[in-house]
Amino acid sequence: MYQPEIETLAIDKMRQLQSERLAEQVAYLYKRVPFYKNKLDEAGVGPADIRSIHDIHKLPFTKKGDLRDNYPFGLFAVPQNEISRIHGSSGTTGKPTVVGYTKGDIDIFSEVIARSLVAAGCRPGMIMQNAYGYGLFTGGLGLHYGAERLGMAVVPVSGGMTERQIMLMQDFGSDALCCTPSYAMTIAEELRRRDIDPQSLKLKFAILGAEPWTESVRADVERGLGVTATNIYGLSEVMGPGVSQEDHEEKGTGSYIWEDHFYPEIVDRVTGEPLPYGENGVLVFTTLTKKAMPVLRYWTNDITSLYYDKAGKRTHVKMGQILGRSDDMLIIRGVNLFHTQVEAVLEGFTDLSNNYQLLVKNEGTMDEVEVMVELDIELSKLLELVALDNEIVKNHDRLGAMHRSIQKKINDNIGLTMKVHFLMPGAIPRSEGGKLNRIVDTRKK
């Protein structure tokens, strides 16, 4: 562990620490940020009402629209001369969601990244190849500073230029790779195309985040790169990557949230009421130590659950796999649909790659979903396929049987009939360091 004393802190002591920090944070924001003073006044809540972490439900939510409404610096709690860094996340309005950091915030950011990297298996002296984008996006610089804090040597290659990524892995002997899951798969596919044995690389660990991914993606990345792959989670509005991290020896059991800095809740996506441990709902975070731009009960839109793992190494709460986003949920003919439900069906078919997209469109007055999924590279080579169309699939024993089976499983498991289209490997646009677009919605709004 990077900080064993805090990572194994007894839960009652953690609650005491969180209570002290929450009360201080609310008083700090009430005094310094007019937006929060007005919001708390409207809710009939004052700093004196927040004595314990258990009072957190009294506080109003903060949502992404609040950040846009206060663009660019309306939520900053410190004067400009105390801001050390400004980041932003992409927005649909053309202007980014802006977040700021003091020097102390950058130190905490680096601290939680260092914790996360140790949990992922990294150690001082290793070489980390950072294929997250640098710039306004928090990922690149966040991982960079955290790895340096840990004592790793950082290769700041950023995203894209896959051939160069592979050359640097070979020449520099990179021990760890940080990037999105989809880009890790892109690198793995390029290794296969070039007949490079992943075991010839020194690579041991892949720290993947910025988009939801599944166990089948993990298996593909681990096999394709010869690594142990773990999930890192975060969002700019709260801090950036490093809000939570999966331990490399506890894969598949959830990611530890560093709850001395970020207090998590799960709430009902409709009512906002708190939900018990183990139930799925919207993940909400309150920053307990951030000073430049703290947030109270930030509504992430990510759907997941929380639980304490008694068999885990640490005492911090774990978050489950991200099932999707509440704002990305599709309602198709009255059925609630997340793309991860389709992904769960596709995982059972080894002749398929993990690269897929859902095409949503209007058919007359009805909404329809079509599934576009690529065949596995090895299968396409085995069958000597150079192109695919519906007739080839229908008249091919192996492809036809798989096609019918997928359509039936989608109907049985999800309750919707979807057209399924097989594509050649590489047909769906790849992410070059960014997030993979799983849903293409062409419906007229």
Side-chain angles (χ1 to χ4, degrees), residues 70-282:
N70 288 276
Y71 176 89
F73 306 138
L75 295 184
F76 282 15
V78 297
Q80 193 65 51
N81 62 1
E82 294 182 31
I83 295 292
S84 293
R85 190 189 299 172
I86 298 171
H87 276 295
S89 61
S90 58
T92 57
T93 63
K95 291 187 177 181
T97 299
V98 176
V99 291
Y101 302 78
T102 64
K103 185 179 183 299
D105 294 336
I106 296 296
D107 286 342
I108 291 171
F109 196 1
S110 301
E111 172 192 308
V112 295
I113 290 285
R115 270 191 219 176
S116 298
L117 290 172
V118 170
C122 299
R123 299 293 183 267
M126 287 185 176
I127 297 174
M128 187 190 82
Q129 187 158 319
N130 190 4
Y132 278 118
Y134 282 69
L136 278 180
F137 173 59
T138 54
L141 285 171
L143 266 299
H144 185 119
Y145 275 61
E148 288 185 341
R149 169 71 69 90
L150 178 58
M152 301 179 77
V154 180
V155 182
V157 63
S158 194
M161 295 175 285
T162 305
E163 288 190 12
R164 186 175 70 165
Q165 299 276 3
I166 293 172
M167 179 191 75
L168 295 178
M169 288 177 191
Q170 293 172 318
D171 295 349
F172 291 2
S174 302
D175 298 286
L177 171 69
C178 295
C179 63
T180 64
S182 55
Y183 191 56
M185 289 195 295
T186 297
I187 295 174
E189 288 170 359
E190 186 62 25
L191 289 176
R192 291 170 70 182
R193 287 192 185 94
R194 295 171 60 182
D195 292 322
I196 297 174
D197 183 356
Q199 298 305 317
S200 68
L201 303 175
K202 193 182 173 186
L203 211 59
K204 302 180 186 70
F205 304 106
I207 300 92
L208 311 178
E211 61 189 12
W213 52 298
T214 62
E215 289 301 318
S216 67
V217 171
R218 190 203 305 272
D220 272 10
V221 169
E222 291 189 335
R223 182 172 56 250
L225 295 180
V227 296
T228 297
T230 54
N231 184 60
I232 190 168
Y233 172 87
L235 59 165
S236 299
E237 298 88 339
V238 173
M239 180 63 84
V243 172
S244 77
Q245 170 67 42
E246 191 176 23
D247 188 280
H248 71 291
E249 294 179 336
E250 300 174 25
K251 294 185 305 179
T253 66
S255 300
Y256 287 105
I257 294 173
W258 307 126
E259 56 176 321
D260 53 320
H261 295 295
F262 317 107
Y263 184 77
E265 302 172 79
I266 296 293
V267 302
D268 185 274
R269 61 178 296 271
V270 176
T271 67
E273 290 299 311
L275 295 175
Y277 291 117
E279 288 197 22
N280 290 324
V282 176

Side-chain angles (χ1 to χ4, degrees), residues 264-395:
E265 302 172 79
I266 296 293
V267 302
D268 185 274
R269 61 178 296 271
V270 176
T271 67
E273 290 299 311
L275 295 175
Y277 291 117
E279 288 197 22
N280 290 324
V282 176
L283 181 61
V284 169
F285 278 110
T286 296
T287 57
L288 298 176
T289 54
K290 198 175 180 186
K291 293 303 179 186
M293 203 188 94
V295 289
L296 299 179
R297 303 192 81 196
Y298 184 75
W299 187 284
T300 70
N301 270 323
D302 289 329
I303 303 293
T304 187
S305 60
L306 299 175
Y307 85 107
Y308 282 95
D309 185 359
K310 293 181 180 179
K313 298 177 186 176
R314 299 166 180 82
T315 53
H316 292 232
V317 72
K318 282 184 175 180
M319 58 182 281
Q321 185 182 80
I322 299 294
L323 303 178
R325 290 180 58 80
S326 60
D327 54 349
D328 281 347
M329 186 182 75
L330 299 168
I331 302 177
I332 307 297
R333 302 193 295 278
V335 176
N336 295 343
L337 173 67
F338 290 105
H339 70 80
T340 49
Q341 292 172 275
V342 176
E343 186 166 329
V345 171
L346 299 177
E347 283 179 359
F349 295 88
T350 56
D351 285 338
L352 301 176
S353 80
N354 283 299
N355 218 43
Y356 73 94
Q357 278 185 339
L358 304 187
L359 176 61
V360 188
K361 58 185 183 179
N362 294 115
E363 290 288 343
T365 60
M366 301 291 287
D367 291 339
E368 301 287 345
V369 179
E370 297 185 5
V371 182
M372 326 296 288
V373 59
E374 293 178 7
L375 296 182
D376 179 72
I377 292 175
E378 298 304 323
L379 177 66
S380 65
K381 289 179 180 177
L382 177 67
L383 300 181
E384 298 182 343
L385 294 169
V386 293
L388 272 176
D389 59 34
N390 290 336
E391 286 301 311
I392 291 175
V393 171
K394 184 172 67 174
N395 294 318

Side-chain angles (χ1 to χ4, degrees), residues 19 22-23 26 45-53 55-56 58-59:
S19 296
L22 177 65
V26 171
V45 181
D49 297 311
I50 307 301
R51 298 186 178 91
S52 160
I53 197 67
D55 294 323
I56 199 166
K58 298 176 182 177
L59 299 171

Side-chain angles (χ1 to χ4, degrees), residues 386-407:
V386 293
L388 272 176
D389 59 34
N390 290 336
E391 286 301 311
I392 291 175
V393 171
K394 184 172 67 174
N395 294 318
H396 191 286
D397 289 345
R398 184 168 178 176
L399 296 180
M402 180 167 61
H403 188 267
R404 292 188 294 275
S405 180
I406 292 170
Q407 288 188 314

Side-chain angles (χ1 to χ4, degrees), residues 28-50:
Y28 176 83
L29 283 169
Y30 191 83
K31 180 180 179 181
R32 289 172 171 255
V33 182
F35 166 80
Y36 275 114
K37 182 181 187 306
N38 294 337
K39 206 165 179 73
L40 290 169
D41 286 345
E42 289 171 7
V45 181
D49 297 311
I50 307 301

